[in-house]
DNA sequence: CAGATAATGTTATATTATAACATAACATAG
DNA sequence: CTATGTTATGTTATAATATAACATTATCTG
């Protein structure tokens, strides 16, 4: 095992999410500023909503919130913002759930493996060298050239097992 | 590396798909007969349609075919059959594509990792011990108990690289 | 055959996502 | 500072994926 990086951990009991959220927003703003990308109010708001918790968020839940805030939001409003955020690496889509989750290493190039607790709903994100490496080598041995990996692991997190 | 099992390989140039398909159908029939499960004409037909090629098939494409065969098919017709076939382990859903693919080891209990060529569309299926093992151990070290794994690998297969 | 169970038919609707075109905001060259 | 192009957003409509709910039919069991 070379490295095991936990991008987004399961939270400790004393997790201060407001700090966590704020740090993500600051990072994203900084990242965009640096490269002339526009983290518009809308995009920023959608990022905030995705990061409202550590659980996956549905596009239409975001839409509902935006509509309640009385902008004239429609599906494209949300999907465009999500596309932007995914392209910049600020959020990830969980393919097996049709839902979105904030990235714990926004803007950093990395692989992702998601651990999803089906009791509490919380998602942890890993950027694990060994897993990518192993899958790459298996694929290689079959003459297959990997370009994109979807790894979503469902189960029960530590605290839910304890309870 | 303990074992690497290829459940559904990328096909050789001389692949005889009619034989391949037939063998799957016979296996499924046998499997159902053995346990008193009913592989009804409808279910059998849907299995055939999923296995029409080695590429992922969309539910609504199956539906279209069924409708053309002038039964009164509706979405539930297809989704119920697919549910049955998935439960028996005859087909798998590719979560990242909302599509379905035939299982190369129908009815056998196994893990799955899918290699999907985005040029030719062909899907290979692995049941690789090491990958499951590694992911399990990583999850373990985080106190996470795995119950279900989604692994979908997109890239370019050998023959498409050659061409 | 009667009653129970499983499978299918049928209609409607929920959920997820994109197409297509109009307008507005913003940038920068002249 | 304006014209002009570009990017972002607004707006309407629709496509694509999936399930709910209830009726009917087929199959099994006693
Ligand atoms: Zn947090
Ligand atoms: Zn990430
Ligand atoms: Zn074949
Ligand atoms: Zn399989």
């Amino acid at each position: 095992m070379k490295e095991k990086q936990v991008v987004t951990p399961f939270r400790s009991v004393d997790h201060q999410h407001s700090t966590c959220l704020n740090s993500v927003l600051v990072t994203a703003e900084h990242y965009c500023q640096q490269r002339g990308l526009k983290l518009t109010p809308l995009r920023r708001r959608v990022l905030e909503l995705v990061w409202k918790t550590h659980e996956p968020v549905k596009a239409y839940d975001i839409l509902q919130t935006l509509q309640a805030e009385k902008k004239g939001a429609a599906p494209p409003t949300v999907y465009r913002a999500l596309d932007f955020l995914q392209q910049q690496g600020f959020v990830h889509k969980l393919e097996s759930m049709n839902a979105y989750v904030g990235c714990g290493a926004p803007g950093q190039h990395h692989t992702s493996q998601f651990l999803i607790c089906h009791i509490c709903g919380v998602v942890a994100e890993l950027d694990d060298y060994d897993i990518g490496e192993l899958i790459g080598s298996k694929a290689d041995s079959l003459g297959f050239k990997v370009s994109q990996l979807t790894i979503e692991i469902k189960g029960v997190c530590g605290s839910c097992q304890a309870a």
Side-chain angles (χ1 to χ4, degrees), chain A residues 64-78:
Chain A
Q64 267 205 301
T65 305
L66 290 183
Q67 284 172 335
E69 289 166 355
K70 65 177 174 315
K71 337 220 170 192
T77 313
V78 172

Side-chain angles (χ1 to χ4, degrees), chain A residues 144-149:
Chain A
F144 189 88
K145 191 163 186 178
V146 176
S147 65
Q148 195 207 321
L149 262 177

Side-chain angles (χ1 to χ4, degrees), chain A residues 1-9 111 113 115 125-132:
Chain A
M1 299 215 191
K2 287 199 189 160
E3 9 168 341
K4 174 185 60 199
Q5 200 183 337
V6 179
V7 173
T8 309
T111 68
Q113 302 90 35
L115 300 172
E125 182 183 357
L126 311 182
D127 173 12
D128 187 285
Y129 179 85
D130 300 317
I131 294 175

Side-chain angles (χ1 to χ4, degrees), chain A residues 16-48:
Chain A
Q16 295 297 318
H17 188 62
S18 57
T19 307
C20 164
L21 170 58
N22 201 261
S23 138
V24 163
L25 292 172
V26 168
T27 304
E29 257 159 18
H30 190 243
Y31 178 96
C32 287
Q33 200 129 44
Q34 294 240 321
R35 16 206 124 196
L37 296 169
K38 280 174 279 193
L39 189 64
T40 61
L42 177 58
R43 289 165 173 176
R44 197 193 131 100
R45 182 66 183 130
V46 170
L47 179 56
E48 246 175 31

